[in-house]
Amino acid sequence: MEKKKWSELWLSYDKVTELGGSQTLTIEGFDAENRIIKSAAKELERGFNGFAKISFVRESSVAKEGYEIAGADSKITVKASDENGILYGVFALLRNLAMGVSIESVNEKSSPSNPLRMMNHWDNMDGSIERGYSGESFFFENDDIIINDRTVDYARLMASIGINAIAINNVNVKGAATYLITDRFFDKVKKLQDIFADYGIKLYLTINFASPIEIGGFDTCDPLDETVISWWKDKAKEVFEKLPGIGGFLVKADSEGRPGPFTYGRTQADGANMLADAVEPFGGIIIWRCFVYNCTQDWRDHKTDRARAGYDYFKEFDGAYRDNVILQIKNGPMDFQIREPVSPLLGGLTKTNQILEVQIAQEYTGHQIDLCYLIPMFKEVLDFHTYCKEGADTVADIISGKTMGNKNAGFAAVINTGNDYNWTGNDLAAANLYGFGRLAFDMSLSSEEIAREWVSLTYHMDKKSEDTLVDMLLNSREIYEKYTSPLGIGWMVTPNTHYGPSVDGYEYSRWGTYHRADHHAIGVDRSDKGTGYAQQYYKKNADMFNDPDTCPEELLLFFHRIPYTYKLKSGQTLIQYIYDSHFEGAKQAKELMEKWESLKGAVPEDVFERVMERFKLQVENANEWRDQINSYFFRKSDIPDEKGRKIY
Ligand code: GCU
């Protein structure tokens, strides 16, 4: 068979088609000509060759987008109350079979934890991808839209993990992308939208808040200006007529140089609500990002605290947002560092729709060179008790709609794909792509279950090899954390690129990301005696974070300024912990590479080589981090390593 131009990732179906045979499909209660039902049938045909009678059955008792699959005596039934449920049921069936479950024992019921399960592309229309580490965009090139077989395979991959919403363009909307909501691109956007719709996915567009200026020829985009309001109303009508079924718009405003309501002395709620009113007649949604902070700070200023910004800007207007506005909140208050506390906005808002935003593009977590399986981090965020409401106070409760009983809620990821053969640059980074979708669909799955599924579907390995790879994935985040910045302080990365160490790279800059290390201590005091950030949480968490004795140690330097001689719970001093963790992290990075070497033969040769190349770079990166961090803190503190290891 001719080798495909791009990898099939977890949808290779090798194991399923091996079964051989024939099948018949009956459809009860659904229109066989429905586009999603047709996709489900096509996928079955493609993936399944077993001897079986399969039926799709409409069953109103099954939850929205949920499914029940059951097999018995060469008969398989897929039940759902809607078309998406049937499609997800088919993918679940194929997954079961590919993982070796026999037809007779197939038995799975599932329904999505989150109403919206979304991917955010940071793809630009010139083909580049902001924070992309997997080649160029497969949606755009030369200020135009690309549509080909890969688009279809992409939609299949996304549907197979339960994704039902996709924003195709970068949150920083510049140049041609501003015109995605005009005649210049409607025809092609519609084609993309149709491909997505075949797989039950709603398309979203990211818009430029200054569109009335950039497209409309206005000299203002003030959200309270009547002419601006009516321009957006007309624009929304046009967009929803040309692109019926589009989900809505995603907006980054007043953030890192992007235009927004603040320019006109208006609030974030003014901006979001104006757009919400414009799309409301068409059932549209406005997803409004909360990544708003002062990015022109003076490093000399110790009072302004970037971590506070989201809560300070958005909490005041809790409840003032329209029902069709969803605030999209990054998991931490800073910016996708390897360790951050959960954003106090999550659950801090109790009357506003919320989506959790995470980043599987490995911007600060190793650029898809270093191995960093992020699902354990996401699980920690989801399991965090905010104390916003008794019995329904975890982040998972909030974003699933359980806390407030709302349906405009969910989970979004900044995606890690590009047009590389393997989609994700590092073949192993596909575990994050797969994992995010599976977790967004079913938040009760464990990091290990997800890792096992992905390994098994992708590589069909023997048990011992599978255990090795799963173990590598599960430990990778902690290893990355050990050799990079310590105990939640974050940053210390090379400015702009965000790969590799530069301890003071962001220390004297305008971005509000300081560690404030001197010869005596390190960290920012965010307690009630410092910037007061810890007070943004509900009392139980505020008290916990406020006191260094009760603050989770992995976040100690996020919340507190701590002397190098401070004794940690282990009895180690802080400085000794920094040395030890960095020596250990770099050593474990090398062990990861050795474990990968042991998998030669268990994975295809090309995969082995591509990943090996990256592990070599990871080991170099980890050594560089170890030596720069250790030398930096030795020079600052003048306290030698107790174990006498080499520090430069
Ligand atoms: C980070 C990232 C930017 C991105 C921004 C965002 O700061 O470095 O590239 O635009 O997040 O989330 O909007």
Side-chain angles (χ1 to χ4, degrees):
M1 212 174 84
E2 199 194 327
K3 193 170 179 262
K4 284 208 65 157
K5 288 209 235 46
W6 48 86
S7 163
E8 312 220 54
L9 299 178
W10 54 87
L11 292 183
S12 75
Y13 297 141
D14 296 349
K15 216 165 178 176
V16 193
T17 46
E18 268 167 25
L19 294 168
S22 64
Q23 44 164 299
T24 54
L25 175 64
T26 53
I27 298 175
E28 292 170 32
F30 288 99
D31 176 2
E33 289 307 304
N34 173 280
R35 64 198 310 165
I36 301 174
I37 296 296
K38 273 165 65 182
S39 299
K42 226 200 265 171
E43 198 66 30
L44 254 187
E45 204 177 300
R46 172 178 204 142
F48 182 62
N49 250 334
F51 295 98
K53 291 198 172 81
I54 301 172
S55 22
F56 295 168
V57 178
R58 192 187 288 271
E59 180 84 52
S60 57
S61 60
V62 181
K64 186 164 189 262
E65 295 186 282
Y67 58 82
E68 291 180 17
I69 48 177
D73 306 332
S74 307
K75 269 183 76 174
I76 302 172
T77 318
V78 183
K79 292 183 187 165
S81 60
D82 52 29
E83 289 78 8
N84 273 33
I86 293 289
L87 182 62
Y88 300 147
V90 165
F91 278 116
L93 168 64
L94 293 170
R95 179 173 68 240
N96 272 272
L97 297 174
M99 288 178 67
V101 177
S102 69
I103 293 175
E104 285 68 33
S105 358
V106 168
N107 196 334
E108 191 176 295
K109 273 189 195 180
S110 188
S111 63
S113 310
N114 290 293
L116 269 168
R117 305 172 300 279
M118 186 169 198
M119 290 295 189
N120 289 183
H121 283 261
W122 285 1
D123 294 28
N124 298 313
M125 290 200 69
D126 63 3
S128 63
I129 301 178
E130 180 149 340
R131 311 306 176 185
Y133 313 104
S134 321
E136 301 271 288
S137 173
F138 46 76
F139 290 138
F140 307 117
E141 69 186 352
N142 300 325
D143 287 345
D144 208 348
I145 294 174
I146 310 170
I147 295 165
N148 56 32
D149 289 352
R150 189 165 191 154
T151 325
V152 179
D153 278 349
Y154 167 76
R156 290 176 51 236
L157 285 164
M158 292 301 100
S160 76
I161 50 174
I163 295 300
N164 65 357
I166 291 172
I168 54 173
N169 60 311
N170 190 2
V171 286
N172 296 314
V173 187
K174 294 176 194 163
T178 302
Y179 295 87
L180 281 169
I181 51 170
T182 69
D183 266 336
R184 183 155 146 203
F185 292 116
F186 280 142
D187 287 350
K188 286 190 179 160
V189 175
K190 176 78 172 55
K191 285 197 182 122
L192 255 182
Q193 192 191 2
D194 282 342
I195 293 173
F196 287 1
D198 285 345
Y199 289 90
I201 298 166
K202 272 194 190 283
L203 176 111
Y204 282 72
L205 291 173
T206 303
I207 53 166
N208 185 336
F209 191 79
S211 297
I213 300 176
E214 308 245 347
I215 311 173
F218 286 38
D219 58 6
T220 178
C221 58
D222 179 352
L224 299 191
D225 180 299
E226 286 303 328
T227 57
V228 169
I229 294 172
S230 85
W231 187 87
W232 274 115
K233 286 205 158 126
D234 293 345
K235 181 48 79 184
K237 184 159 183 280
E238 184 190 358
V239 170
F240 281 81
E241 267 167 22
K242 294 284 172 59
L243 308 170
I246 186 174
F249 301 138
L250 170 68
V251 193
K252 171 178 180 175
D254 287 316
S255 171
E256 302 184 327
R258 303 313 299 145
F262 283 168
T263 312
Y264 306 95
R266 312 301 184 194
T267 67
Q268 298 296 296
D270 290 333
N273 288 344
M274 181 271 295
L275 292 171
D277 289 343
V279 300
E280 194 275 335
F282 318 101
I285 284 176
I286 297 298
I287 301 178
W288 188 270
R289 295 178 84 229
C290 293
F291 187 56
V292 179
Y293 69 98
N294 173 6
C295 67
T296 55
Q297 204 185 313
D298 184 345
W299 60 269
R300 298 168 192 84
D301 163 14
H302 284 233
K303 290 218 174 65
T304 309
D305 179 3
R306 171 167 163 180
R308 296 187 54 112
Y311 190 93
D312 283 346
Y313 286 127
F314 287 90
K315 170 70 183 171
E316 191 185 342
F317 300 97
D318 187 16
Y321 294 87
R322 301 280 190 269
D323 276 353
N324 61 330
V325 172
I326 312 180
L327 296 187
Q328 183 162 304
I329 305 168
K330 288 193 183 185
N331 62 279
M334 296 296 269
D335 193 10
F336 300 136
Q337 301 301 294
I338 189 66
R339 175 80 62 179
E340 285 186 51
V342 168
S343 166
L345 260 184
L346 290 159
L349 301 171
T350 56
K351 298 184 278 272
T352 303
N353 297 319
Q354 293 158 62
I355 280 190
L356 169 64
E357 176 182 325
V358 296
Q359 192 189 39
I360 53 176
Q362 288 176 244
E363 174 179 0
Y364 293 99
T365 53
H367 282 204
Q368 286 142 243
I369 296 170
D370 299 26
L371 184 66
C372 195
Y373 177 58
L374 291 161
I375 307 305
M377 182 205 282
F378 303 160
K379 293 284 293 181
E380 284 170 15
V381 173
L382 295 173
D383 292 345
F384 181 74
H385 286 279
T386 65
Y387 300 109
C388 67
K389 182 180 179 185
E390 213 181 318
D393 70 343
T394 63
V395 172
D397 292 334
I398 295 159
I399 66 168
S400 62
K402 185 175 168 199
T403 310
M404 293 184 280
N406 53 333
K407 66 171 185 4
N408 285 337
F411 200 177
V414 178
I415 200 169
N416 59 355
T417 51
N419 70 359
D420 276 359
Y421 168 78
N422 64 4
W423 303 81
T424 53
N426 188 337
D427 293 74
L428 302 185
N432 287 327
L433 182 64
Y434 180 84
F436 169 75
R438 292 288 289 136
L439 184 63
F441 196 90
D442 183 353
M443 293 195 283
S444 74
L445 290 171
S446 72
S447 301
E448 178 171 348
E449 281 168 316
I450 294 174
R452 275 200 190 279
E453 274 186 15
W454 176 76
V455 171
S456 155
L457 293 171
T458 309
Y459 297 124
H460 322 298
M461 293 168 146
D462 61 279
K463 180 78 173 76
K464 187 163 162 276
S465 306
E466 184 181 304
D467 288 345
T468 303
L469 186 48
V470 167
D471 181 70
M472 288 168 66
L473 289 168
L474 291 176
N475 292 315
S476 57
R477 184 260 185 135
E478 214 174 301
I479 296 173
Y480 186 82
E481 182 178 24
K482 279 187 200 163
Y483 63 75
T484 55
S485 58
L487 300 180
I489 192 79
W491 310 96
M492 302 190 176
V493 286
T494 308
N496 308 319
T497 64
H498 302 165
Y499 187 78
S502 173
V503 183
D504 282 338
Y506 276 114
E507 195 55 17
Y508 305 101
S509 72
R510 63 187 174 91
W511 298 96
T513 49
Y514 315 115
H515 56 69
R516 309 255 190 233
D518 63 14
H519 68 290
H520 171 67
I522 169 177
V524 177
D525 183 356
R526 294 191 163 105
S527 75
D528 52 356
K529 293 187 213 66
T531 71
Y533 164 78
Q535 265 42 55
Q536 292 184 333
Y537 293 88
Y538 288 89
K539 183 158 185 340
K540 206 161 164 188
N541 286 332
D543 289 350
M544 172 182 73
F545 289 136
N546 201 57
D547 180 347
D549 284 344
T550 53
C551 179
E553 218 157 56
E554 65 275 13
L555 287 167
L556 191 60
L557 297 179
F558 189 95
F559 284 97
H560 298 281
R561 180 161 184 80
I562 301 288
Y564 298 117
T565 50
Y566 178 93
K567 282 252 165 65
L568 297 174
K569 301 213 167 70
S570 61
Q572 272 165 309
T573 57
L574 171 62
I575 187 73
Q576 194 56 42
Y577 170 82
I578 293 177
Y579 296 147
D580 286 353
S581 59
H582 283 79
F583 280 113
E584 191 174 75
K587 181 167 152 272
Q588 289 177 332
K590 185 153 172 280
E591 285 163 8
L592 279 178
M593 181 171 82
E594 288 157 6
K595 285 186 182 146
W596 183 251
E597 254 166 349
S598 80
L599 293 178
K600 195 170 167 63
V603 294
E605 191 58 29
D606 61 326
V607 173
F608 181 81
E609 295 300 337
R610 274 195 300 273
V611 175
M612 196 59 192
E613 231 173 81
R614 284 169 174 78
F615 273 126
K616 285 181 190 153
L617 295 171
Q618 176 171 2
V619 169
E620 272 175 38
N621 188 38
N623 288 346
E624 199 57 36
W625 271 97
R626 175 197 62 202
D627 292 340
Q628 287 202 31
I629 295 275
N630 286 345
S631 304
Y632 181 96
F633 286 103
F634 171 60
R635 291 176 191 181
K636 283 265 174 197
S637 69
D638 202 25
I639 303 173
D641 171 32
E642 276 170 4
K643 297 177 188 153
R645 289 162 294 195
K646 181 87 183 149
I647 291 180
Y648 298 84

